[in-house]
Amino acid sequence: AKDYELRQYETAKWVSTVIRGETQKEAMRQGFWKLFHYIQGKNEKEMKIDMTVPVTCLVKSGCADFKISFFVPFEHQDSPPQPTDSDVFTEERKAAAIFVRSFGGFASPEKYAEEAEVLARILRSRGQPFHEDFFYTAGYDSPFKLFNRHNEVWYFRK
């Protein structure tokens, strides 16, 4: 479909942190820096790890906790270094079919929520079953990139 795509993601490891009781924008800021310190060497091997994209944020309906995640680069998937910050953890996300809606520009929490609602409406109208109680935001660009920005919202297929 031209307004969304269905992707199959393989099982993969991500490094994550959960920020509680902040706005989504503030949670993204705090979470990004915790994860950035991890890839800069704040891990048991004091190893620098390449920055990857996307940076995801798990948004759950009616919940003020946000899980921010970086994808672990392929060369570290087998054994990512353990974080030394107790708020940072590695997790394995199981293979999944994910409905994806892409959009440009600078994405705010409001813009992500709006795009997620558009995607949910499209999926419901087409009879596509999906987990409606949460979605992920996915950002692909540095804050310094001004043009041709790429953002996504993800719903998991049921």
Side-chain angles (χ1 to χ4, degrees):
K2 66 183 189 315
D3 37 14
Y4 72 90
E5 60 183 295
L6 177 59
R7 291 188 196 147
Q8 182 64 44
Y9 280 96
E10 297 308 314
T11 298
K13 293 192 178 86
W14 294 71
V15 60
S16 302
T17 187
V18 175
I19 306 294
R20 292 179 173 85
E22 297 287 352
T23 64
Q24 186 177 346
K25 186 172 185 161
E26 179 59 18
M28 282 294 294
R29 190 189 70 76
Q30 287 182 23
F32 177 88
W33 285 109
K34 282 182 178 290
L35 299 173
F36 188 76
H37 292 310
Y38 167 82
I39 67 170
Q40 287 298 300
K42 194 172 181 185
N43 57 63
E44 66 180 10
K45 295 180 183 168
E46 297 183 352
M47 179 189 290
K48 281 194 178 223
I49 299 168
D50 289 338
M51 176 80 204
T52 59
V53 292
V55 176
T56 64
C57 177
L58 173 61
V59 180
K60 295 181 195 169
S61 302
C63 181
D65 296 353
F66 298 98
K67 182 169 67 175
I68 318 307
S69 306
F70 286 4
F71 178 76
V72 173
F74 292 109
E75 62 268 25
H76 300 293
Q77 278 287 317
D78 288 340
S79 60
Q82 286 306 302
T84 51
D85 179 339
S86 61
D87 292 340
V88 176
F89 56 95
T90 57
E91 62 174 334
E92 185 171 86
R93 292 190 195 165
K94 297 296 176 210
I98 300 176
F99 294 108
V100 178
R101 181 171 170 82
S102 301
F103 61 98
F106 280 90
S108 62
E110 296 76 20
K111 180 66 174 164
Y112 277 124
E114 182 184 306
E115 293 292 337
E117 185 46 48
V118 169
L119 178 55
R121 231 180 1 253
I122 292 166
L123 294 174
R124 281 186 213 109
S125 75
R126 300 202 178 139
Q128 293 282 7
F130 66 100
H131 292 277
E132 297 194 35
D133 52 332
F134 69 92
F135 66 89
Y136 279 91
T137 68
Y140 287 82
D141 302 303
S142 120
F144 307 108
K145 182 174 180 181
L146 301 180
F147 302 104
N148 300 316
R149 296 179 62 83
H150 184 80
N151 315 287
E152 297 174 348
V153 288
W154 299 352
Y155 274 112
F156 283 56
R157 186 171 73 181
K158 273 190 175 168

